[in-house]
Amino acid sequence: MGAPGSVAASSCIFCAIAQKKAPAYIVYEDEDTLAFLDIAPLSRGHTLVIPKAHVDRITDLPPARYASVLATVTEICRRMERLSRDYNIGVNQGPLAGQIVFHLHFHVIPRYAHQVGGFPRERLPLAPEEARALLRELGPG
Ligand code: 5GP
Ligand code: ZN
């Protein structure tokens, strides 16, 4: 049995996405990392960046992966600037911090003038046509 909040890689939804066993709208992929649209975005374009190999805590990320993960976060930020030059980058680590998926992921959340007061309380599911439009807007360019 793992630590509270931990999950075996075999039942991890983000591992399933990384292994293409579960669907996702993939914005970017390389050997070590994947970036895909959040299923319930906090704002338009909300994207998650993960290392493909399962690790929950950032402190368990092998140092050999630091560069690839940061490079992908930065690539997503670069593309996100097509939508907004303002964005939050964040990691929720542990249940008390709001983590609900226990596979390390970096949120990249664009901020817009109309949302300056904060994020919406109600998170709507990402609509397929909106996801397809975002994939075009956030593509390699
Ligand atoms: P956390 O609270 O763990 O930092 O964030 C997990 C994020 O993953 C949430 O924003 C949630 O909407 C997103 N999420 C949860 N399950 C899935 C899924 O199956 N697919 C995608 N694309 N995003 C998910
Ligand atoms: Zn995983």
Side-chain angles (χ1 to χ4, degrees):
M1 185 141 127
S6 71
V7 70
S10 57
S11 58
C12 172
I13 181 63
F14 286 0
C15 281
I17 289 173
Q19 293 160 14
K20 311 287 168 59
K21 293 176 181 163
Y25 293 100
I26 294 173
V27 176
Y28 173 87
E29 177 170 18
D30 63 26
E31 201 180 333
D32 291 342
T33 69
L34 192 68
F36 52 95
L37 299 177
D38 195 292
I39 205 170
L42 279 165
S43 69
R44 185 172 191 273
H46 183 173
T47 296
L48 304 173
V49 176
I50 64 167
K52 285 183 175 174
H54 184 86
V55 54
D56 170 0
R57 304 193 67 79
I58 193 166
T59 45
D60 292 331
L61 185 68
R65 297 279 180 261
Y66 290 177
S68 60
V69 171
L70 187 59
T72 301
V73 169
T74 307
E75 174 64 18
I76 293 306
C77 290
R78 193 171 289 119
R79 296 184 189 190
M80 206 57 79
E81 291 183 3
R82 299 172 195 160
L83 305 184
S84 173
R85 280 190 58 81
D86 297 28
Y87 39 84
N88 294 104
I89 304 162
V91 176
N92 299 323
Q93 190 71 83
L96 298 181
Q99 188 178 14
I100 56 168
V101 177
F102 297 93
H103 180 134
L104 177 64
H105 53 281
F106 288 73
H107 295 258
V108 181
I109 311 171
R111 304 304 298 260
Y112 302 100
H114 69 274
Q115 283 188 330
V116 93
F119 294 122
R121 269 167 200 265
E122 196 191 1
R123 293 176 65 170
L124 300 174
L126 179 65
E129 61 275 20
E130 171 74 321
R132 284 191 289 271
L134 280 164
L135 288 190
R136 285 193 296 275
E137 291 172 64
L138 295 173

